[in-house]
Amino acid sequence: KDKILGWKGHELFSEDSQKRMQKIFDGLLQEKGSRTYAAEVEIKAPIGQGIPVLVRGTTLHANDGGYEASFLIMTDIREQKERERRLQELVSMQNDFISMTSHELNTPLAVIAGSLSLLSEQVFGPLNEQQAKHLAIAERNVVRLQRLVRDLLDISRIDSGRLSLQCTLTDLRSPIMSACQALYTFAQDRSIRLRFPGADAPAIKAMVDGDRIEQVILNLVNNALRFAASMVAVRVEETGPGSHDEIQILVEDDGPGIEEDDKKNLFTKFYRGQKSSQAGKGTGLGLAIVKG
């Protein structure tokens, strides 16, 4: 107490935080009424690094609007900061593990997929009906595993901030058509009409990463097809007022909709709707990747 009495308010803080607090104080002095404020800064420490604190303050003004004083409460948040640091370390370790595991799985899966393809094409000799049936099951499961590995890699990149986008001026018809055509057979098998802008639709361009937009649409349409009754439609709308500032891509279906309890978890990793007959299908990563 003896050391700090008489100091100006901002002098309590470490060098990096002084400028910020001085700026806050200067702004408060210009105001004519009392108000509260908060900031996360560091105060000086006799030994070692500054101590992180949460500053919450209230300015006091006289009736004529003149500034009189400030009342501050500083809360030591060292434990909170340490918990945040440890949590970040755990998240980083998790992302590194997922990334490493996914990369390690990619190569053997590619080899297995290639070998199964050669067998199904009867390169090494003819197959009987039973062999062809079991081979087709194996191929479907390898494709499913490869898709899961790709999803895990994408989630890892998104969480760690390593997902890079290569944005170019793109005609959005192209990624929409590619995504929908890839799912067209799936839609036909479920007797669902899949509508989307074709090559005869007006061109509509935007600065996007075409591959990633295609992935987003693929995930959304795939999700819609699992729940739709008879129809899934992809529409594109320009929403900029008087100009082409923004473009909205809508994926709609005529399914039962989303349960109210599920909406808050809609884009959460590994979450699948609890009340739907389709809840047990999929990895629960598709919408999380869309959001990322």
Side-chain angles (χ1 to χ4, degrees):
K1 182 175 68 175
D2 295 337
K3 291 181 180 178
I4 66 172
L5 284 175
W7 284 13
K8 294 182 183 294
H10 68 275
E11 292 176 340
L12 292 167
F13 303 99
S14 61
E15 187 175 345
D16 290 340
S17 298
Q18 278 193 26
K19 292 179 181 178
R20 187 177 178 198
M21 289 306 299
Q22 185 64 59
K23 187 175 181 180
I24 292 173
F25 284 142
D26 290 344
L28 293 170
L29 290 174
Q30 302 300 318
E31 297 186 5
K32 300 300 181 184
S34 301
R35 76 171 180 90
T36 58
Y37 59 94
E40 195 175 295
V41 291
E42 282 187 346
I43 60 171
K44 290 178 178 176
I47 300 173
Q49 295 180 330
I51 299 169
V53 294
L54 176 64
V55 174
R56 287 171 291 186
T58 302
T59 55
L60 306 177
H61 285 70
N63 291 335
D64 62 1
Y67 171 81
E68 287 195 339
S70 288
F71 179 72
L72 282 79
I73 295 176
M74 289 186 281
T75 306
D76 187 337
I77 55 173
R78 276 177 288 188
E79 288 187 8
Q80 176 186 327
K81 285 294 184 183
E82 178 61 19
R83 286 196 297 270
E84 289 176 0
R85 186 191 64 79
R86 289 170 61 189
L87 180 60
Q88 285 296 326
E89 283 184 354
L90 288 172
V91 170
S92 178
M93 288 169 61
Q94 171 191 285
N95 289 334
D96 288 344
F97 173 75
I98 290 173
S99 180
M100 179 190 69
T101 306
S102 301
H103 279 296
E104 289 297 319
L105 286 170
N106 252 335
T107 301
L109 280 173
V111 173
I112 294 169
S115 298
L116 291 175
S117 178
L118 291 173
L119 288 170
S120 65
E121 291 170 7
Q122 304 189 35
V123 172
F124 305 117
L127 300 171
N128 61 41
E129 186 178 341
Q130 192 75 357
Q131 290 170 330
K133 177 183 175 182
H134 285 281
L135 195 58
I137 293 171
E139 284 187 300
R140 283 200 302 272
N141 280 280
V142 167
V143 170
R144 182 166 168 266
L145 274 174
Q146 287 178 315
R147 186 165 60 246
L148 173 60
V149 167
R150 286 196 299 270
D151 285 350
L152 286 170
L153 271 172
D154 283 338
I155 283 290
S156 173
R157 292 189 187 108
I158 289 166
D159 286 346
S160 61
R162 296 199 302 263
L163 183 71
S164 61
L165 299 177
Q166 308 299 323
C167 293
T168 57
L169 190 61
T170 303
D171 184 348
L172 290 177
R173 293 177 303 175
S174 178
I176 291 173
M177 288 171 62
S178 294
C180 291
Q181 286 168 351
L183 293 167
Y184 201 74
T185 302
F186 178 50
Q188 285 185 317
D189 290 342
R190 292 178 58 84
S191 300
I192 294 172
R193 191 168 74 258
L194 178 56
R195 300 205 312 260
F196 55 93
D200 56 343
I204 186 163
K205 297 185 178 182
M207 288 297 294
V208 297
D209 185 320
D211 291 338
R212 291 298 180 183
I213 287 292
E214 180 179 336
Q215 183 182 13
V216 165
I217 296 165
L218 191 73
N219 284 350
L220 289 174
V221 172
N222 184 48
N223 195 66
L225 286 170
R226 295 212 319 271
F227 294 93
S230 62
M231 182 276 297
V232 173
V234 182
R235 295 191 292 111
V236 181
E237 295 180 356
E238 296 177 77
T239 62
S243 64
H244 307 326
D245 289 336
E246 294 182 358
I247 294 168
Q248 194 171 42
I249 301 173
L250 302 97
V251 178
E252 301 171 328
D253 67 75
D254 61 350
I258 300 164
E259 295 283 350
E260 199 63 38
D261 291 343
D262 287 334
K263 286 183 180 179
K264 62 180 180 295
N265 299 309
L266 197 55
F267 294 95
T268 305
K269 286 180 291 187
F270 303 108
Y271 183 82
R272 294 173 293 187
Q274 297 302 305
K275 298 182 181 178
S276 167
S277 61
Q278 300 290 328
K281 299 183 179 180
T283 61
L285 291 175
L287 291 184
I289 289 171
V290 166
K291 182 178 179 181

